[in-house]
Amino acid sequence: MAIRNILQLGDETLRKKSFEVTAFDQKLHELLDDMKDTLIKANGAGLAAPQVGVLRRVFVVSVDGEYFECVNPKIVSKSGSQDGEEGCLSVRGKYGSVKRPYSVTVEAFDRFGKLFKVNAKGFLARAFCHEYDHLDGIIYVDKATNLQEEGR
Ligand code: CO
């Protein structure tokens, strides 16, 4: 396990579309383990593989003591809406308000290739949407209003 370098806004890798995972192998497990370590060290709510330079459809989310590893995720339903503040480990020192669905259902594979489904609302739904966007090269600053510097 290891801490990986988190790419910052301006790195073109963050703007690319990630590819589906086809092998649920040791390399994927190492990636997921490293992403967990990296997320914990950075004290973030989520981290997507392209943020560590790996263009694969993988993200991890850690919200309120719940931890999810999502491989080839799909947002299969969305409802409602919410406005709230977001930041990103690839956009240091900024935050901004983003409109997101209030609740989402995500289908994804775990590290062993087993399909699972999770219903999320509130901040957890926000985190899933934010991380999912990373897999398509979308960063929250594209959607944010009131983008501000931290430490007002
Ligand atoms: Co982010």
Side-chain angles (χ1 to χ4, degrees):
M1 297 209 265
I3 304 296
R4 300 212 186 182
N5 181 46
I6 300 176
L7 302 179
Q8 294 298 302
L9 189 65
D11 192 303
E12 66 180 30
T13 300
L14 290 172
R15 293 306 194 173
K16 292 181 176 159
K17 200 169 156 68
S18 290
F19 300 93
E20 296 246 319
V21 168
T22 53
F24 294 80
D25 56 6
Q26 188 56 36
K27 200 173 169 199
L28 174 68
H29 296 184
E30 276 170 26
L31 172 65
L32 284 162
D33 290 342
D34 288 356
M35 285 173 66
K36 184 176 189 179
D37 288 350
T38 305
L39 179 64
I40 289 167
K41 177 146 188 285
N43 197 27
L47 184 68
Q51 291 181 274
V52 294
V54 177
L55 287 173
R56 289 291 170 184
R57 300 188 80 80
V58 172
F59 63 67
V60 295
V61 163
S62 177
V63 171
D64 294 335
E66 285 193 285
Y67 186 75
F68 300 92
E69 293 180 341
C70 297
V71 178
N72 298 343
K74 288 193 165 53
I75 296 175
V76 295
S77 74
K78 308 175 189 186
S79 67
S81 78
Q82 58 172 322
D83 286 301
E85 280 184 358
E86 261 175 58
C88 179
L89 295 175
S90 292
V91 190
R92 294 265 183 216
K94 290 199 164 69
Y95 65 94
S97 184
V98 185
K99 192 182 209 59
R100 299 286 189 186
Y102 177 69
S103 65
V104 296
T105 301
V106 176
E107 270 184 10
F109 294 91
D110 71 9
R111 61 169 60 203
F112 304 107
K114 184 169 185 277
L115 190 65
F116 68 96
K117 191 186 272 200
V118 53
N119 299 306
K121 58 187 180 183
F123 188 75
L124 183 59
R126 173 177 297 284
F128 279 123
C129 293
H130 176 116
E131 299 313 326
Y132 186 86
D133 276 353
H134 275 300
L135 307 183
D136 290 329
I138 298 164
I139 300 172
Y140 87 95
V141 296
D142 305 344
K143 298 179 169 181
T145 54
N146 305 320
L147 198 64
Q148 293 179 70
E149 305 285 328
E150 233 160 39
R152 289 160 269 192

